[in-house]
Amino acid sequence: MNKGEAVVATRFPHQKPGTEVAIVLGDERIVLNDRGENGDEKPKDGIFSTATKFDSEQFVEANRIFAEVNLERKRTLFTPGGRESIGVQTVSVKGEHMIIEQHLAEKPRQFVLPLSLDAIEFRRPIELPVLGPELGLPFKPARATSVDASESLMITRLDVVNDPDRTWFCESTNQPPNGNPMGEWTFWQLMAQINNGQTSTSDFIKKMFDHWNSNQLINNHIVNARPHVYQDIIEQWEIRSGGSGAALQPEHSPFKLLGIVLRADLRGPSSVYGGGDAGEGRFVFSLHDGNCNSMGKTLILEYRVPINSCQATKEWAQAWIDLDGSSNYNSDLASLTEVFASAGAAPSSPNGSAISQVRTNEFLPLSPLWEMREFRLPDGGGLLQQTTVKQEPLMAHNNTTVLADYVNLNWIELINHTHTIPDNFAGHNDFLAGSAPTPQLWNAPASALNVPANPPPSNPGASNEDEALQGLAVNTCSGCHQIETGTNFAHLHYNTQPGQEAILSGFLTGITLPDPRNGAIMREFNDLERREEDLLDAASQACPSIGVLPGNVLVHELTRAPALNAVH
């Protein structure tokens, strides 16, 4: 580092030595090379470098803010772009330096960063951590040092899901629901907002459930009919509404609200200059028989939050943190959910709705297996249509050479959780599934796998093959909802009884379990804690103007956590 400029160098473990990597930051394209050029000291050593303009004062100021916010705070670290807990991080100050210690499974790591210009030894490298802080740019921290998931992320409190003005809720079994059947958080009203005048709300709901009445051809694969689903839900609802074939009435709706969920961690890829989106907002419902006796089905309405600038995303995250301690909690929460759930929330989207997908988890008495389905609005708007379940290969390809070929070709992306299961693969035009049956143990024949051993993964005792298979499996619908996470099919359980807050899975609240393919490897999850850390990050992110020097932006981009490429 010299005054006004610096060499930024990093390793890209899966990038071929002697090549280059281009990173686009706003309107600027920065190339890091391993060819001994433009600041790179040694060609083909696996270290990619670039000499660039750099503001040392901003770098130091960012370090000072980070030290002040995180001093003596213990932060759990997670796999980059993934969900697995892998260690903890602490921050301390010694003289004019901040000391970041990361305690990982393989060994502790320590990073010493300057807190003043005098503490910078020019021309001496400064090693930066990449698992915890976003460095390089000063930021305004969130107005809190911690997040309570139950208040800001996974909201299942009874005074919310049983709000008499906004929900149609169950007080006890063997009794009809109470409240407001057309309240803003009811299944009926939310579906009416998604429909947004395309047809009657009754027909809009009936047409979605009609997909279970007949076989559906989804991505060249037949999803078998389950007519009893329509019978148990719609036909019984009709009978309660006046008789067979009657228009559905909201006061006879069999869906109760289990929770309102913020998924800011699913915000789209963006740089500090903006772009992307603010993630998802979700409503989770469970099915009952019309008299508040639970049945085997949950349904989730999942909306993209129509916010797409860095500063607006930062303010959105802070607003959800501010719910904690609100004296008008339900009203404040309703003003936030209205942003994505109201009719016309996304004027340029189908039906003017911000809905991204509707997903169902179903195991009714006549169903042979648990099954998950997904529905989306067509591009031109209209009625919800069944579509593929994302990140789920067709079950017929499980434990086959076809799946092994996919793993061999995409092992880097699978380990980094950046893969996307395609509709078609290797001549198979049904590779992405039209539904997700569970339970399902995802695997591939060992004799057909050819995943390189190097560079070795950070998880001790695991091979790249182990990590690639786990990356595939845990991101499927069937894996995430069962074997990979020790979950009993639903992360908010459909059998939650009236008067009880939703039963949450161990994957959400904290669980350690052996890898189902290699029991010697332990997998640790605590997804709500991960989301808490992420929401703080979102509310504290740097949102600089265009004039910031490229070296600082590059350091920020290289140290920030990758976006979560998940559907659950």
Side-chain angles (χ1 to χ4, degrees), residues 208-225:
M208 189 190 86
F209 283 97
D210 187 51
H211 288 84
W212 275 274
N213 273 330
S214 58
N215 292 346
Q216 300 295 315
L217 183 64
I218 308 294
N219 196 33
N220 299 298
H221 166 245
I222 293 177
V223 178
N224 290 329

Side-chain angles (χ1 to χ4, degrees), residues 17-57:
T19 59
E20 65 181 32
V21 175
I23 297 178
V24 178
L25 302 172
D27 295 329
E28 187 142 4
R29 182 175 182 269
I30 298 180
V31 177
L32 295 95
N33 79 94
D34 186 22
R35 293 173 174 156
E37 303 166 357
N38 191 33
D40 187 60
E41 289 189 355
K42 185 179 179 181
K44 298 184 179 181
D45 64 351
I47 299 176
F48 293 76
S49 314
T50 187
T52 182
K53 294 179 181 179
F54 190 81
D55 189 329
S56 300
E57 291 185 2

